[in-house]
Amino acid sequence: MTPMTAPAPQPLLLPDAETCWQAFLRRDRAFDGLFVGCVSSTGIYCKPSCAARHPRREHMRFLPDGDAARAAGYRACLRCRPDEVGRDRIAVERAIALLEKAQDALPLERLAAQVGYAPHHFHRLFKRETGMTPAAYARALRAERLKAALGTEARVTDAIYAAGYSGPSRAYADAQAHLGMSPSAWKEGGRGVTIRWTILDSSLGPMLVAASDKGLCRISFGQGEADLRAAFPQAELRPADATLDGLARAVAALVDDPAATPDLPIDVGGTAFQQAIWAALRAIPSGETRSYAQLAASVGRPAAVRAGGTACGDNRLAVLIPCHRILRSDGALGGYAWGLERKRALLDRERK
């Protein structure tokens, strides 16, 4: 299964009442479609991001969806239109499928028309659901095809055209954004790319911090030079300089205070789906957690629960991209690449 392939849908569990209430107070769009809030004093049900004035807590109850709310005697809010959330997400899923199949650029006007929306409205909707614009998502998909073609085509030029590019210029721009290097450097295992790295002591054990000229490309626990060599066997690995030392200190401070939000440059590449998942992870407030199902739903792919979990496992920037904030639907810790004890410690620090 590729990272972009969605597995069979899994039922979403209704979050606990306090989580639902806090989502309403924040007007958190990430919870739209996961449940509705029913107001006993007005007989109306709303989606979590509804902009209407909040009722008192004792007047709120939470149900899985609009069908359950209507069966209980409530009617849909005319302001937030909660029943359209499902329609919006279906449209986004259809658009993603169209983008995946398209060999050439698909203009926004045509894409929006095929899913039944006005262009400007759908542009906002798509970005809200996935964290990326349709054009950015399409570029990431094309970069994925380029990455695959570079592994099979004898020449870089052949790979560029096989991936659907009309010429090298756009391919090289996309490669820098999504692969972190030129197509030729990627094909040659990172040849010509300089990666500086260091290992420092942190409160959670030895931590590797590495960066390219663009930004941080690896933050991990218990890894070393051999792991970087395995990823880019032809890259030039150098000791840390003053710039990386500063980045490493900021990362070490983040381990002790995971609630901080430092503005650090990153260079992680990734597929379109991975980038959407990683952006959603960074949007989770410190001290809060989400389930894998909620994470998948927050990027407009509610059926891609397993793929979302895989994207968490592919995260190369421990702590900075906080995949430790994702739990199983039953509240259990689930997995964590760097060990459950570290995951538990990070969550405990954030709760404090």
Side-chain angles (χ1 to χ4, degrees):
M1 180 180 71
T2 67
M4 295 300 297
T5 301
Q10 296 187 6
L12 302 184
L13 298 180
L14 180 69
D16 64 85
E18 181 59 24
T19 297
C20 294
W21 174 241
Q22 293 300 324
F24 262 86
L25 291 180
R26 294 192 308 272
R27 295 185 170 89
D28 194 336
R29 290 185 182 275
F31 283 82
D32 286 352
L34 301 183
F35 63 90
V36 295
C38 305
V39 185
S40 60
S41 57
T42 62
I44 290 174
Y45 66 92
C46 304
K47 62 185 179 183
S49 65
C50 184
R53 181 179 178 182
H54 291 128
R56 296 173 63 176
R57 175 64 183 88
E58 57 265 29
H59 294 160
M60 288 286 293
R61 63 179 294 199
F62 305 101
L63 294 173
D65 51 37
D67 289 341
R70 289 190 297 275
Y74 294 90
R75 64 186 186 279
C77 173
L78 295 179
R79 183 170 185 176
C80 71
R81 301 183 184 276
D83 295 333
E84 293 185 3
V85 173
R87 174 176 174 264
D88 290 347
R89 288 200 166 142
I90 290 172
V92 170
E93 290 184 21
R94 285 182 58 202
I96 288 173
L98 290 170
L99 291 172
E100 289 173 343
K101 294 177 182 177
Q103 293 300 314
D104 300 317
L106 192 58
L108 174 63
E109 291 75 12
R110 197 193 323 164
L111 179 65
Q114 290 188 38
V115 298
Y117 282 75
H120 289 89
H121 175 65
F122 187 68
H123 186 274
R124 292 192 298 269
L125 169 64
F126 192 98
K127 186 173 183 180
R128 186 185 74 200
E129 293 294 332
T130 67
M132 305 171 72
T133 66
Y137 203 99
R139 286 194 297 270
L141 288 170
R142 195 162 48 177
E144 289 175 44
R145 291 196 289 267
L146 174 61
K147 179 179 175 181
L150 287 169
T152 58
E153 298 289 344
R155 299 190 309 164
V156 170
T157 302
D158 294 337
I160 287 173
Y161 289 108
Y165 288 96
S166 59
S169 60
R170 183 70 261 176
Y172 273 77
D174 285 355
Q176 290 292 346
H178 298 287
L179 306 183
M181 61 189 69
S182 69
S184 56
W186 178 273
K187 186 173 179 62
E188 297 177 10
R191 187 183 302 277
V193 175
T194 299
I195 296 176
R196 295 190 180 273
W197 67 285
T198 186
I199 295 178
L200 65 157
D201 291 329
S202 77
S203 57
L204 294 180
M207 181 173 59
L208 180 144
V209 180
S212 69
D213 292 340
K214 293 179 62 179
L216 292 161
C217 60
R218 186 68 60 93
I219 302 172
S220 60
F221 296 97
Q223 291 192 330
E225 182 178 2
D227 300 281
L228 292 179
R229 290 279 181 207
F232 298 108
Q234 301 301 323
E236 182 179 1
L237 303 186
R238 293 184 180 179
D241 58 6
T243 298
L244 182 63
D245 283 339
L247 292 175
R249 285 194 296 271
V251 171
L254 185 60
V255 172
D256 293 325
D257 181 15
T261 55
D263 184 17
L264 301 177
I266 63 175
D267 179 17
V268 291
T271 68
F273 181 74
Q274 286 173 326
Q275 289 183 48
I277 287 290
W278 296 337
L281 288 170
R282 300 189 79 180
I284 300 173
S286 176
E288 298 183 16
T289 60
R290 301 286 187 269
S291 69
Y292 289 101
Q294 291 168 344
L295 178 66
S298 72
V299 298
R301 302 292 293 275
V305 177
R306 292 192 185 93
T310 299
C312 287
D314 290 336
N315 172 27
R316 303 170 190 168
L317 299 180
V319 186
L320 187 59
I321 296 178
C323 56
H324 60 273
R325 294 174 186 164
I326 303 300
L327 307 179
R328 285 172 31 182
S329 295
D330 61 3
L333 286 179
Y336 190 56
W338 317 116
L340 293 184
E341 287 304 315
R342 289 192 177 99
K343 182 172 186 175
R344 185 177 291 108
L346 289 167
L347 292 173
D348 288 344
R349 293 174 185 186
E350 291 189 1
R351 293 189 183 105
K352 293 177 181 178

